[in-house]
Amino acid sequence: LRTWVLNEVKKAGFNPVLADTLITCESGWNPLAKHWNPPTPTRPGTWDAGLWQINDVHGMSQEERLDPYKNTEMAIELLKSKRSWNHWVCFKG
């Protein structure tokens, strides 16, 4: 799985070493990882799920986000659309 993910990241033109570090921090490479983001005064609570901890605001079902291949495809789409790693807490930290 790790080889496939990092190859997809590299094919998309992004740094696979950074992706490896980010996924290790976000989910520990656990495709079933979940994290609850409690509500704040300005937004409802949300769930992050999967290898890349994709948030439910991105329009994927939890089942899709727990699929490591679909999760990776979404992460690459986010990287391509924003040209930024700032979607992830571990990158900001």
Side-chain angles (χ1 to χ4, degrees), residues 4 7 14-15 19 26 35-36 49 67 71 74 79 83 86-87 91-92:
W4 181 86
N7 282 336
F14 297 100
N15 184 332
E26 290 283 341
H35 174 77
W36 171 246
D67 176 317
N71 191 278
M74 175 56 82
L79 285 168
R83 302 299 298 176
N86 287 327
H87 297 285
F91 182 78
K92 294 175 189 174

Side-chain angles (χ1 to χ4, degrees), residues 20-28 89-91:
D20 189 13
T21 302
L22 182 101
I23 294 168
T24 298
C25 176
E26 290 283 341
S27 69
V89 171
C90 287
F91 182 78

Side-chain angles (χ1 to χ4, degrees), residues 5 9 14-15 18-19 21-27 37 48-55 58 60 65 70-93:
V5 169
V9 168
F14 297 100
N15 184 332
L18 182 55
T21 302
L22 182 101
I23 294 168
T24 298
C25 176
E26 290 283 341
S27 69
N37 302 295
D48 300 328
L51 286 178
W52 293 81
Q53 292 294 280
I54 302 295
N55 192 275
H58 295 293
M60 295 178 79
R65 289 179 293 133
K70 291 180 181 180
N71 191 278
T72 297
E73 290 170 2
M74 175 56 82
I76 290 171
E77 283 183 41
L78 290 170
L79 285 168
K80 285 180 177 179
S81 70
K82 302 291 184 185
R83 302 299 298 176
S84 172
W85 295 85
N86 287 327
H87 297 285
W88 292 278
V89 171
C90 287
F91 182 78
K92 294 175 189 174

